[in-house]
Amino acid sequence: MINTMFVYQMEVKLPKLTASEFLEYNRLAEHMNSFHNHFRVSWNELYATRGSHHLSLRAASRFLDTLTMHHNIEETYVFPRLATHKLEAYLGDYEKGVRDLRMEEVQMLMDSWKDVLWTHLDREVEELGAEKMRQYWSIQEMKSFGF
């Protein structure tokens, strides 16, 4: 049996990327950054808004709606798909009878995205921890969230 902890911790030396390979590998980050830059601009515009409360409220509401939609798309489609693509293909091949199910192979596929997933999960929990939350919310607001 393969020691998956050893495989997981081993640093793989990858060859230098060509310019076109870098562009392809970096494509999603560039695309995501364009959306994130839009949110930064919107944030700064909203923050600097002066004048009508009605316009400020509308701008704030639009910003929050767009940010929520963006986050939902990331969480629903982008990151789960990136993380699980190879495992889904492997299980699909098993279901079609193309390959036998070998847990060592499944574990290796899982190990390939374990760090990303666990780091993401840990960061979300950290961001929702008491020391972070109390900086921004009162006890009454925390109790009112309903989730």
Side-chain angles (χ1 to χ4, degrees):
M1 177 163 199
I2 295 173
N3 182 341
T4 56
M5 283 304 291
F6 178 74
V7 171
Y8 169 69
Q9 292 177 350
M10 235 174 34
E11 187 174 322
V12 178
K13 182 72 174 168
L14 297 173
K16 185 172 172 62
L17 295 173
T18 66
S20 64
E21 288 171 334
F22 177 83
L23 289 174
E24 183 59 32
Y25 278 116
N26 205 48
R27 182 175 51 86
L28 295 176
E30 289 290 329
H31 189 68
M32 185 73 67
N33 197 42
S34 69
F35 285 103
H36 288 186
N37 283 337
H38 171 75
F39 290 121
R40 289 179 188 102
V41 168
S42 297
W43 172 281
N44 290 331
E45 288 173 353
L46 178 60
Y47 194 85
T49 299
R50 300 275 191 264
S52 166
H53 290 314
H54 176 71
L55 291 177
S56 298
L57 179 61
R58 216 168 64 203
S61 182
R62 188 172 51 246
F63 173 78
L64 293 175
D65 288 347
T66 306
L67 187 62
T68 299
M69 181 177 62
H70 172 77
H71 180 75
N72 288 342
I73 289 169
E74 284 179 344
E75 295 296 315
T76 304
Y77 299 104
V78 177
F79 290 107
R81 183 73 180 136
L82 288 174
T84 62
H85 178 71
K86 289 183 181 180
L87 183 57
E88 287 172 350
Y90 182 92
L91 295 177
D93 285 350
Y94 167 72
E95 289 172 355
K96 292 175 197 165
V98 174
R99 73 168 3 131
D100 292 331
L101 184 65
R102 293 189 175 92
M103 286 311 297
E104 297 84 14
E105 292 174 348
V106 171
Q107 289 171 338
M108 287 180 66
L109 291 169
M110 292 173 69
D111 283 341
S112 71
W113 48 278
K114 177 183 177 183
D115 189 43
V116 171
L117 176 63
W118 288 38
T119 299
H120 174 79
L121 296 175
D122 290 343
R123 285 184 181 159
E124 282 186 344
V125 170
E126 185 180 313
E127 289 301 314
L128 294 173
E131 291 304 316
K132 291 272 187 165
M133 296 302 281
R134 73 185 196 145
Q135 294 175 27
Y136 307 104
W137 309 104
S138 69
I139 289 292
Q140 293 77 20
E141 288 171 320
M142 290 298 297
K143 289 179 180 178
S144 73
F145 286 151
F147 50 79

